Amino acid sequence: MQWLGKINSRIDSAFNPSAKQRKFIMPVMTVVSILLITVLAKFGIINNYLQTIIVTICINIIMSASLNVVNGYMGEFSCGHGGFMATGAYVSSVVSLVLFKNGNSISGHALLPEGLSIIGFPIAVLTGGLAAMLVSLIVAIPSFKTRDDYLAIITVAANFIVTTAINNIPLVGASRGLMGMKSVMNSMSDVIDVPWILIWGLVFALLSVLSIYFLMNSTLGKGISAVRYDEISAEIMSVDTNRMKLIAFTFSSFLAGIAGGLFAHLLGFINPSSFGIMKSTESLVMVFLGGMGSLSGSVLSAVVFTILLELLRPAQILKWVIIPLILILIMEFHPEGIMGSKELPQVFPWLKKLFPENKNRVRPENSAEGGVA
């Protein structure tokens, strides 16, 4: 009966992986999932329409999770995320057009061969993120002494300033908008024929979620959470609250800029009206729908919200009556959102077997009482 014992031990190890095995389960599953989606898209099983929805979900995940860093984990109230998304969208578009598109409306001739866009595209998107971070820095420093409604007003004003400024710059199309980014994506496909925007959407969404996870489970994350519960007590406990605010706000804006870059290259055309207060409102809806301070909630709400918008597309303008109504009902009967402040492993304990143990995990109750170690 030794063979039966060996089989049972292998089954037990499969469902109860060791700590060493847990380190590799999620990375392997993630890589396999991305490769599977790419292969299905390559052979047309996932058509262009579904690819667009998947990339839109990835963009909304980045927007929702990044705004949750400020509104959820730090406890502030930012309402101008669309302005940082606009900055990233326009800067990344200008960089990719100037570098890789002949006949572009900005410089006329490409500075580099179109084939190099495979390497240059992620650089252009990251450049847009850095530009959004710089704009957020200009907004963040004067607003250090503000909280709650005042910060909301400042960020809404920043959103209007950014979109109005873009609306008056003829070089980037002003109110007519900017186009040509699709040709950059097509030039990438000419080199290697794979759905590049889908690949980069999945990769950037994954990296964004991971970066937020590691930030909020670090010492800096404890400092950011301390601001949420009691800023004065956090300062007494030697937390540099201004530094925490600056890190959270600029990091959140950096990710919003990356989302903007992906959005611009997905559609191939952008104009300032695409990034108005309605776009910022979408991000707020996703954060409240998923749960303040829940990374899992941000991801789930982005998926639900994107699919809901797509299902309500035939309703046209009525969808912006239905969606706020749904949000009102959630706030009335389930105000903590889908996940509250919990993560998926807390709701479904069996998921803990897929993750390595994290002894330094930030727990809200501990952050409120213990400050920063």
Side-chain angles (χ1 to χ4, degrees), residues 61-292:
I61 286 173
I62 298 172
M63 288 293 289
S64 175
S66 62
L67 185 58
N68 211 354
V69 173
V70 175
N71 287 24
Y73 290 109
M74 192 169 70
E76 299 287 350
F77 194 62
S78 173
C79 297
H81 226 44
F84 307 122
M85 187 181 186
T87 304
Y90 270 89
V91 170
S92 63
S93 298
V94 169
V95 170
S96 63
L97 290 175
V98 169
L99 291 180
F100 306 114
K101 178 174 169 50
N102 282 313
N104 66 77
S105 59
I106 301 169
S107 62
H109 298 285
L111 300 180
L112 297 173
E114 292 182 351
L116 291 178
S117 56
I118 290 180
I119 302 172
F121 173 74
I123 297 174
V125 172
L126 290 172
T127 303
L130 291 173
M133 180 185 286
L134 180 61
V135 171
S136 72
L137 187 64
I138 298 172
V139 175
I141 293 176
S143 63
F144 272 155
K145 300 299 181 182
T146 62
R147 286 181 64 88
D148 302 326
D149 297 342
Y150 295 102
L151 180 63
I153 293 169
I154 290 173
T155 51
V156 168
N159 196 161
F160 279 107
I161 289 170
V162 169
T163 53
T164 303
I166 295 171
N167 212 27
N168 289 277
I169 302 177
L171 190 64
V172 294
S175 59
R176 298 189 309 276
L178 184 64
M179 64 178 62
M181 291 74 77
K182 275 287 186 183
S183 63
V184 176
M185 304 309 300
N186 292 335
S187 65
M188 295 168 64
S189 297
D190 291 338
V191 179
I192 302 176
D193 188 16
V194 293
W196 283 107
I197 189 63
L198 177 63
I199 294 171
W200 282 116
L202 291 168
V203 169
F204 275 116
L206 173 63
L207 293 177
S208 298
V209 171
L210 285 176
S211 62
I212 293 172
Y213 173 80
F214 286 118
L215 172 65
M216 297 314 302
N217 284 279
S218 66
T219 303
L220 286 175
K222 293 182 180 180
I224 292 170
S225 297
V227 174
R228 172 183 179 179
Y229 292 102
D230 194 326
E231 186 173 343
I232 296 175
S233 298
E235 289 179 351
I236 294 173
M237 295 296 292
S238 74
V239 177
D240 188 344
T241 56
N242 283 346
R243 179 169 171 259
M244 295 301 108
K245 289 181 181 180
L246 187 65
I247 291 172
F249 196 70
T250 54
F251 178 66
S252 173
S253 302
F254 170 73
L255 294 180
I258 288 177
L262 292 172
F263 179 79
H265 288 84
L266 171 65
L267 298 184
F269 170 79
I270 51 174
N271 62 16
S273 63
S274 302
F275 306 98
I277 194 64
M278 192 63 75
K279 180 61 71 175
S280 297
T281 303
E282 288 182 16
S283 302
L284 282 171
V285 169
M286 287 186 285
V287 169
F288 285 111
L289 178 63
M292 303 286 278

Side-chain angles (χ1 to χ4, degrees), residues 3 48-49 72 123 156 356 359:
W3 61 273
N48 290 335
Y49 172 70
I123 297 174
V156 168
K359 297 180 180 179

